[in-house]
Amino acid sequence: MKQRGVTVWFTGLSGAGKTTISKAVAERLRSWDCKIEVLDGDIVRQNLTKGLGFSKEDRDENIRRIGFVAHLLTRNGVIVLVSAISPYRAIREEVKARIGDFAEVFVNAPLSVCEDRDVKGLYKKARSGEIPNFTGVSDPYEPPLSPTVECRTDLESEEESVNKVLDTLKSMGYLADD
Ligand code: ADP
């Protein structure tokens, strides 16, 4: 596969499936020997943005820093897979405008589904008040108005979601048969 640099930005509620889909997309791209990098919100918060909290200001700063690194990689020809809740529309738009080569993937499942999955037990803690400012429960999530791709993970299989993302990269010209 031939590739061009692009940032693929997965946004959505906790438990919607961002990490699952981005990991599977990464595996598929690696199997084609593509140069890729994964920036996962949970891991980024342990290093690049360690110390930032969950106020709007800190969430925006978190996204700005992830966007900065994604931009550096993208302009060097890497396919960058970012998975971060990124709840605020304005900062997503800012990062998108700066990077240019950008696809926004809205990983979408109803809150009730994400909460039933409760992959990391966080919704339970958010409901009990143990975790404040939890997106979808006690903090806002602003859905994309016109995402490049929408993956309805409550209605489609992981495989379908992964294929949608890869097909989009092909149709946008970021991936092509060698
Ligand atoms: P996030 O990174 O958005 O917080 P995760 O990827 O950690 O979410 O968790 C999503 C959960 O939903 C996983 O347990 C995954 O197996 C499940 N799931 C069910 N259907 C899908 C689907 N179509 N796509 C992605 N994940 C799915």
Side-chain angles (χ1 to χ4, degrees):
M1 280 284 184
K2 277 193 300 201
Q3 72 178 82
R4 287 202 298 127
V6 60
T7 291
V8 187
W9 194 287
F10 297 82
T11 173
L13 295 173
S14 178
K18 302 179 294 298
T19 299
T20 306
I21 297 170
S22 59
K23 272 189 179 162
V25 169
E27 271 171 36
R28 196 83 73 84
L29 292 171
R30 279 198 196 98
S31 78
W32 295 331
D33 289 329
C34 291
K35 267 194 303 180
I36 68 143
E37 194 52 76
V38 174
L39 295 172
D40 188 88
D42 291 339
I43 295 161
V44 166
R45 275 188 175 275
Q46 291 165 19
N47 45 76
L48 179 68
T49 62
K50 195 171 179 170
L52 292 178
F54 294 89
S55 64
K56 178 169 191 305
E57 290 69 29
D58 277 12
R59 286 179 184 273
D60 282 352
E61 181 60 23
N62 181 46
I63 297 312
R64 209 171 272 121
R65 288 192 207 169
I66 296 172
F68 176 78
V69 175
H71 189 195
L72 296 181
L73 292 163
T74 297
R75 72 185 192 200
N76 278 288
V78 177
I79 298 176
V80 186
L81 307 173
V82 175
S83 64
I85 296 172
S86 30
Y88 294 107
R89 196 175 288 137
I91 188 75
R92 291 197 306 266
E93 290 298 319
E94 188 185 305
V95 165
K96 176 183 177 176
R98 185 160 312 148
I99 298 178
D101 292 298
F102 192 95
E104 185 177 50
V105 183
F106 181 23
V107 184
N108 188 11
L111 176 65
S112 58
V113 171
C114 297
E115 196 158 355
D116 283 346
R117 288 177 183 160
D118 209 4
V119 190
K120 297 169 226 156
L122 298 176
Y123 282 98
K124 198 158 168 271
K125 290 186 180 168
R127 289 289 177 199
S128 73
E130 198 181 321
I131 305 178
N133 305 110
F134 195 79
T135 303
V137 174
S138 46
D139 223 46
Y141 179 77
E142 300 172 354
L145 298 176
S146 53
T148 320
V149 193
E150 180 175 0
C151 299
R152 276 295 301 264
T153 65
D154 57 325
L155 302 176
E156 61 196 48
S157 69
E158 183 186 318
E159 178 79 5
E160 282 176 285
S161 300
V162 169
N163 286 335
K164 263 189 186 177
V165 174
L166 291 169
D167 288 346
T168 302
L169 294 181
K170 286 176 191 166
S171 68
M172 291 172 86
Y174 291 111
L175 275 177
D177 290 316
D178 210 354

